[in-house]
Amino acid sequence: MKKRLRRTALYIPGNDPSMIQNAGIFGSDSIVLDLEDAVSVDEKDSARLLVRNALKNINYGDTEVIVRINSLFTPFGKEDLEVIGRVHPDGIRLPKAESAQDIQEVDSFLSRIENEEGFEENSIKIMPSIESAIGLFNVFEIVRASNRVAVINFGAEDYTSDIGAERTKEGKELFDIRTRILLAARVVGIEVQDSVFAHAHDIEGLIRETKFIKQLGFDGKSVIHPAQIEPVHQVFTPTQEEINRAKRIILAIEEAKKRKSGVISLDGRMIDAPVVAKAHRILKYAQAAGVL
Amino acid sequence: MVTNEIGRKIPEEIKGIGKLKPYIGAFKTVPVGNRMAPNIACKKRGETKIINSLKKAVKKAGIRDGMTISFHHHLRNGDYVVAMVLDLLADLGIKNLTIAPTALFPVHKSIIKHIENGVVSSIQGSVNGPIGEISSRGVFDIPVVLRSHGGRARAIEAGDIKIDIAFIAAPSADNYGNLNGIDGPSACGSLGYTMTDAMYADKVIAITDHLVDFPLSPISIPQIYVDYVVKVDKIGDPKGIMSGTLEITKNPLRLIIAQRVVQAIEASGLLQDGFSLQAGAGGTSLAVTKFVGEKMEKRGIKGSFGSGGITGYFVKMLKKNLFNTLFDVQSFDLEAVQSLKINPNHLEMSASFYANPHNKGCLVNNLDTVILGATQIDSDFNVNVNTESDGLLLHGIGGHMDTAAGAKLTIIATPLLRGRMPIVVDKVITVTTPGETVDVLVTERGIAVNPARKDLIEKFRKAKLPIKNIRDLRNEACDLTGIPEEPQLADKIIGLVEYRDGTIIDVIRGVK
Amino acid sequence: MKDQIKIGQAGTLESSDVLVFVRFSPLQKGIKIELESPSEKCFGKIIIRKIEETLNLLGIKNIYIKAQDRGALDCTISARVETAVKRAQKSIGGKEE
């Protein structure tokens, strides 16, 4: 499976044909065709078929195509899975994930569909979204519940509402959920994306928040407006200094391998596997941003 | 029929118009002969120019059946004058007039009845919307002759079209016929399009709603060209004349296009000291203007001029010293009017100065970059701005072919689809602007460069711009939309597209 | 019950969408499509074909459809038609006229 970057995931309202057909041109790494919060209850059926047909007919190029289905606790979720699974999205974003059982249920669903349709086994990924206290409490079992789990997200609005916290622009109330899902993601080796910054025209605020979560270790962020994509990408774009250092690290390792030397150091610091892995990561982000 | 240089079949002659010269290339025609001046006039001391009714003025001007009368479009969609004049002439029983407007707007659909009743029997210059539509349906016996701003000025100066009476809507006038557009309740800014008419028409009638004491200052149209001045209550509706503050587009797709345009300009290497730019008033163009201004500020670039239709965004750049000068042939908003009034570096220019190819050098020759639109563009980079995909003639030419010919870098900026219609086609229905003058197409799904511009292709590749073959863009569009059917056009020729040098680049057929 | 008139609607008049209205009626013989589209001349035939194809896949032989197109792509047209049909089928029919 191709290792892809997930710096940005752009939400696309699932009942908006104009946005759906243009979703791939805004430059985000992933798009999330949304059947859940963006679609009113009486249009769920309509959006489902619109998204299904889009997946069948529209070429989104290299962009990862994810569909956010309705929670399996609603009357719509199972039908969403059944219909959307058959047109092979890259992934399913599962809202309100609360337990390993939720994931396993989706996993079996997808396995059956993959089998019936002749798709490669486990090719449709699951992206659980933690949106409640119980979900966060169970996050470690959620990320381990299936091999399909590739990315974990969270929903700031629903979560803060559930725990009775005040939702602020600054986001201090999200500190715990951010660090805990990050930890869970890293323990099993999957990616983690931050929640949306809802103020679409406040680019300064967006950049501030993105810099913060990048520092924490996040791989990317969900966005709600195309104007947010470029600023987020820029935050995740390594500086020339970082790129140069990464190149030197990789060179040093290669040299060391040739010399068959044991401990490698550069500029007085030890270079071990995690450092090398990070160097590769930096170059990968640099390449995606076109600065390499 | 002969086939012209761009592959379109042109009749050798058309009844009511005369012999036609087929297009031979954008820069091949060499003009011969003299400019055609109007009759020598004489106004004695004490003779008043103020006429107390438009009816008296047209009679004094000697109005007759079959004459050619002209109008400018500086009052845009707030214009009352065209309808006012034609209503009056219809009442007087005048017939078979040729009208030569510099452009027409939706507000002018009230003159359709005069066309249907034979008061107006042909149009030279421009059509728009409903009037274009009835032209497409064959209302005229003689084809409409479409000209660009530069081509119209050329045609008037060369005598290809002789204007008997020019009607000049003047926001400000004095009693001896000095006119300007910057003051008065119907202020419109520049009067650039009407200057050629004033100088070459046999008779000139100024119609104003703001008469001031002699002498008016500043003077855009001097008294020596004006025969009569008529005061009326209103020459136009300010709301239709002026846009409020024009805003850049908020549409994310168009913003991407605007960003790509700016990247292309940068990659071309033209964004240096001395840079000059022309962009229109549409949302995407405004975004380009704004982004270019921001880049210039960031990099400390001092440009030479901004030109064309002037908007508040250009005015801001002038104030910030990002340009030395603005050349204004049309003022789009209140900011532009105000700037023209008070800033000595904001200059009014005539259509001839702007774009006439047959003088000693018009402004488009000095232009670095122009951003233009299109209804269609084909794989040879020929651009159509006149007819829609169903063949209906709905738009005039404006300054499209002029700026494209003059600018070092001509960029067509447009979404790949308009509704379900791909903008990129195999062959445009109508050629307005020839591909040899068009360099780059920028869409949200990629940039196509005219193969003749190997230098640009190289520069864009270096800058890692998303270059695609124009045929691939066409295929990408059709993959989404399906392949559209060709429109069924009638045999009857209802319009001629005259290139800026007086040759015919294409014909327009009617719709069935 | 099965002889009643059933109607359904889906889509909007927004750009790139199509508003589809369908009616099942015992008096309706065959498929009748009324199309209103700005791209009628260039895409009219393709759009009608797509609607017919969608109805065919759903096994519908007798129906009245009115489609008000605003530049929708084929995949959108067929999704809206399918939704309108299914909504009509699910609806409790009106009295016979």
Side-chain angles (χ1 to χ4, degrees):
Chain A
M1 199 88 316
K2 179 176 151 191
K3 194 78 163 74
R4 53 160 80 245
L5 283 184
R6 293 192 170 97
R7 299 164 299 173
T8 43
L10 174 66
Y11 272 106
I12 301 285
N15 205 28
D16 185 339
S18 177
M19 279 303 285
I20 288 175
Q21 70 195 46
N22 289 320
I25 65 131
F26 298 111
S28 60
D29 289 333
S30 321
I31 51 176
V32 182
L33 305 177
D34 189 12
L35 299 176
E36 202 222 6
D37 282 351
V39 180
S40 67
V41 166
D42 39 2
E43 290 298 316
K44 297 283 188 195
D45 58 338
S46 204
R48 186 186 298 129
L49 293 184
L50 204 59
V51 168
R52 180 201 67 188
N53 282 14
L55 278 158
K56 261 166 74 175
N57 295 290
I58 297 180
N59 179 357
Y60 290 110
D62 288 330
T63 311
E64 181 178 41
V65 181
I66 301 166
V67 177
R68 180 164 74 169
I69 58 170
N70 290 281
S71 152
L72 296 191
F73 300 127
T74 67
F76 313 108
K78 289 204 169 88
E79 184 68 12
D80 288 342
L81 257 189
E82 194 65 49
V83 168
I84 297 297
R86 285 180 201 282
V87 287
H88 205 299
D90 292 316
I92 298 283
R93 190 172 275 198
L94 183 69
K96 304 180 174 42
E98 294 194 341
S99 67
Q101 196 186 341
D102 293 343
I103 307 300
Q104 280 149 11
E105 198 177 343
V106 175
D107 184 295
S108 326
F109 235 104
L110 290 175
S111 292
R112 174 177 53 81
I113 292 173
E114 278 167 354
N115 191 28
E116 285 168 13
E117 298 291 331
F119 298 149
E120 186 190 323
E121 221 184 300
N122 287 344
S123 54
I124 303 175
K125 302 297 166 199
I126 299 178
M127 285 102 169
S129 177
I130 307 297
E131 296 172 20
S132 63
I134 189 78
L136 185 59
F137 191 79
N138 292 329
V139 68
F140 285 91
E141 61 168 72
I142 287 171
V143 296
R144 270 185 297 217
S146 152
N147 285 333
R148 296 178 189 274
V149 178
V151 182
I152 183 142
N153 314 96
F154 73 99
E157 297 303 325
D158 288 313
Y159 175 73
T160 49
S161 173
D162 194 43
I163 63 168
E166 201 186 304
R167 181 82 183 95
T168 68
K169 208 183 205 186
E170 242 198 328
K172 282 197 177 138
E173 67 278 6
L174 302 177
F175 192 75
D176 187 39
I177 186 168
R178 278 180 170 144
T179 51
R180 287 228 258 167
I181 66 168
L182 180 65
L183 189 62
R186 296 313 185 214
V187 161
V188 294
I190 64 169
E191 291 187 22
V192 52
Q193 286 172 328
D194 193 38
S195 182
V196 304
F197 184 76
H199 313 271
H201 300 292
D202 179 5
I203 300 296
E204 304 265 309
L206 170 70
I207 293 176
R208 254 197 316 270
E209 182 167 283
T210 310
K211 279 187 171 154
F212 175 61
I213 57 110
K214 174 176 179 260
Q215 189 188 4
L216 287 183
F218 276 71
D219 300 294
K221 195 169 174 55
S222 292
V223 293
I224 48 161
H225 191 283
Q228 295 183 319
I229 294 169
E230 192 48 44
V232 172
H233 283 187
Q234 276 192 31
V235 171
F236 279 96
T237 300
T239 61
Q240 196 55 53
E241 212 184 294
E242 286 171 322
I243 293 172
N244 292 340
R245 187 171 156 74
K247 280 183 177 166
R248 287 171 61 217
I249 288 172
I250 289 170
L251 206 64
I253 288 296
E254 250 132 58
E255 298 276 291
K257 276 198 186 127
K258 281 194 201 138
R259 283 180 281 122
K260 298 215 180 9
S261 114
V263 173
I264 306 110
S265 82
L266 185 69
D267 298 339
R269 282 151 99 190
M270 237 186 52
I271 302 179
D272 50 13
V275 175
V276 178
K278 182 155 183 225
H280 278 296
R281 219 169 100 103
I282 284 174
L283 291 183
K284 198 173 72 164
Y285 276 91
Q287 189 157 48
V291 294
L292 198 64
Chain B
M1 291 292 230
V2 293
T3 305
N4 69 12
E5 193 262 8
I6 208 153
R8 297 287 154 136
K9 288 198 166 51
I10 312 292
E12 297 191 46
E13 184 168 352
I14 288 199
K15 192 168 151 212
I17 291 185
K19 282 202 166 37
L20 302 181
K21 283 181 279 190
Y23 172 79
I24 55 173
F27 305 106
K28 290 277 179 4
T29 300
V30 177
V32 288
N34 292 6
R35 278 186 272 152
M36 201 66 77
N39 291 332
I40 303 174
C42 175
K43 207 70 148 180
K44 298 203 187 73
R45 258 169 69 95
E47 255 185 82
T48 183
K49 292 190 185 181
I50 300 277
I51 311 291
N52 61 15
S53 79
L54 189 55
K55 187 165 164 184
K56 277 214 186 103
V58 303
K59 282 195 170 153
K60 272 189 154 241
I63 186 75
R64 250 172 272 299
D65 286 354
M67 276 191 162
T68 298
I69 62 177
S70 81
F71 306 93
H72 67 71
H73 70 279
H74 286 295
L75 300 183
R76 280 188 289 279
N77 210 33
D79 175 66
Y80 290 166
V81 168
V82 176
M84 190 190 291
V85 169
L86 289 177
D87 286 348
L88 169 68
L89 297 182
D91 275 343
L92 292 175
I94 305 291
K95 296 213 169 303
N96 281 330
L97 292 168
T98 294
I99 63 170
T102 57
L104 289 173
F105 278 77
V107 71
H108 295 125
K109 73 172 185 275
S110 62
I111 72 169
I112 289 179
K113 55 182 179 290
H114 300 311
I115 297 172
E116 288 166 347
N117 294 335
V119 176
V120 172
S121 61
S122 83
I123 297 186
Q124 292 249 355
S126 197
V127 293
N128 174 290
I131 293 161
E133 197 171 330
I134 58 170
S135 309
S136 282
R137 302 201 190 285
V139 72
F140 291 113
D141 291 330
I142 303 174
V144 166
V145 179
L146 297 175
R147 296 195 174 91
S148 67
H149 292 317
R152 183 181 181 279
R154 178 211 64 78
I156 293 173
E157 291 184 14
D160 288 356
I161 171 173
K162 180 175 172 310
I163 300 173
D164 296 301
I165 304 176
F167 292 92
I168 300 186
S172 276
D174 64 28
N175 64 7
Y176 215 57
N178 292 303
L179 314 173
N180 76 33
I182 57 174
D183 275 318
S186 311
C188 63
S190 171
L191 285 179
Y193 291 130
T194 197
M195 290 172 175
T196 315
D197 297 45
M199 293 195 284
Y200 287 82
D202 269 338
K203 293 271 189 259
V204 175
I205 300 177
I207 303 174
T208 187
D209 53 11
H210 183 67
L211 199 56
V212 304
D213 289 334
F214 182 89
L216 177 74
S217 178
I219 298 174
S220 288
I221 311 288
Q223 62 194 44
I224 57 175
Y225 297 122
V226 178
D227 290 277
Y228 307 114
V229 178
V230 179
K231 171 138 186 332
V232 299
D233 282 334
K234 281 199 170 128
I235 60 171
D237 174 10
K239 283 198 217 64
I241 299 172
M242 276 295 138
S243 317
T245 316
L246 290 165
E247 291 289 344
I248 75 170
T249 182
K250 288 199 166 63
N251 181 318
L253 201 105
R254 288 180 184 271
L255 283 172
I256 289 195
I257 295 171
Q259 278 156 8
R260 290 253 162 84
V261 169
V262 178
Q263 286 165 6
I265 296 174
E266 271 193 300
S268 74
L270 287 170
L271 200 57
Q272 309 289 345
D273 282 342
F275 176 67
S276 59
L277 172 71
Q278 177 155 342
T284 312
S285 296
L286 292 177
V288 171
T289 306
K290 179 166 184 268
F291 297 157
V292 167
E294 284 166 2
K295 279 253 162 4
M296 287 171 74
E297 243 186 300
K298 215 174 173 184
R299 288 173 48 187
I301 291 174
K302 179 76 182 285
S304 56
F305 69 89
S307 64
I310 299 295
T311 62
Y313 284 96
F314 268 120
V315 169
K316 282 189 187 59
M317 289 172 76
L318 182 67
K319 283 189 186 152
K320 286 186 180 163
N321 257 314
L322 296 172
F323 286 130
N324 281 329
T325 312
L326 293 180
F327 287 102
D328 190 338
V329 74
Q330 183 176 192
S331 318
F332 277 121
D333 57 27
L334 292 169
E335 267 193 80
V337 176
Q338 191 58 18
S339 174
L340 180 62
K341 199 166 162 179
I342 63 174
N343 193 327
N345 295 319
H346 185 151
L347 305 175
E348 195 176 17
M349 67 174 170
S350 68
S352 201
F353 182 101
Y354 168 37
N356 180 352
H358 291 170
N359 58 27
K360 295 179 188 182
C362 63
L363 186 72
V364 299
N365 289 358
N366 307 105
L367 191 55
D368 280 338
T369 302
V370 65
I371 316 298
L372 296 167
T375 59
Q376 299 181 315
I377 181 170
D378 67 23
S379 35
D380 294 321
F381 285 80
N382 297 320
V383 174
N384 175 5
V385 303
N386 296 118
T387 50
E388 291 287 345
S389 48
D390 54 7
L392 274 178
L393 170 56
L394 293 182
H395 313 282
I397 299 173
H400 204 280
M401 53 168 69
D402 302 312
T403 46
K408 288 203 186 99
L409 176 64
T410 300
I411 298 179
I412 308 294
T414 170
L416 188 60
L417 304 181
R418 184 174 291 125
R420 190 177 174 156
M421 271 325 284
I423 299 284
V424 185
V425 296
D426 289 327
K427 277 211 162 351
V428 290
I429 297 174
T430 308
V431 179
T432 311
T433 297
E436 77 171 277
T437 60
V438 178
D439 302 304
V440 177
L441 168 68
V442 176
T443 72
E444 76 282 13
R445 286 174 200 258
I447 297 178
V449 183
N450 192 324
R453 294 297 304 263
K454 293 193 173 27
D455 60 317
L456 283 177
I457 295 176
E458 162 108 35
K459 288 182 174 145
F460 288 4
R461 280 230 174 91
K462 262 210 186 115
K464 299 208 181 104
L465 296 187
I467 305 179
K468 285 184 179 161
N469 186 305
I470 196 166
R471 287 192 172 80
D472 289 340
L473 278 176
R474 161 81 177 157
N475 293 337
E476 209 176 312
C478 289
D479 279 346
L480 278 173
T481 66
I483 298 181
E485 266 183 73
E486 299 287 322
Q488 291 299 318
L489 297 174
D491 286 330
K492 180 174 177 191
I493 293 176
I494 58 100
L496 298 177
V497 183
E498 187 181 282
Y499 195 60
R500 58 199 298 246
D501 58 11
T503 61
I504 304 300
I505 191 167
D506 207 349
V507 300
I508 301 180
R509 296 186 187 275
V511 298
K512 289 216 174 108
Chain C
M1 265 296 166
K2 71 169 179 178
D3 277 359
Q4 288 174 329
I5 293 181
K6 293 186 180 182
I7 61 172
Q9 184 165 289
T12 70
L13 292 170
E14 296 294 315
S15 183
S16 299
D17 205 346
V18 56
L19 180 60
V20 176
F21 168 84
V22 307
R23 182 174 64 223
F24 290 108
S25 142
L27 298 171
Q28 179 68 43
K29 295 281 173 275
I31 294 174
K32 177 159 164 62
I33 302 173
E34 219 180 282
L35 173 64
E36 176 202 296
S37 170
S39 16
E40 165 88 59
K41 290 222 166 92
C42 303
F43 288 110
K45 290 204 182 96
I46 293 185
I47 294 174
I48 301 271
R49 247 202 324 256
K50 192 70 197 174
I51 297 177
E52 287 171 348
E53 184 191 291
T54 309
L55 293 173
N56 202 15
L57 279 168
L58 295 168
I60 307 294
K61 292 193 172 23
N62 303 299
I63 192 171
Y64 165 77
I65 286 195
K66 177 166 175 188
Q68 292 167 276
D69 173 47
R70 293 292 181 267
L73 300 181
D74 276 355
C75 54
T76 303
I77 294 172
S78 97
R80 296 321 201 184
V81 168
E82 187 177 338
T83 306
V85 164
K86 288 183 169 160
R87 284 177 175 177
Q89 287 170 331
K90 269 200 215 113
S91 77
I92 299 169
K95 291 233 177 73
E96 203 175 317
E97 276 175 3

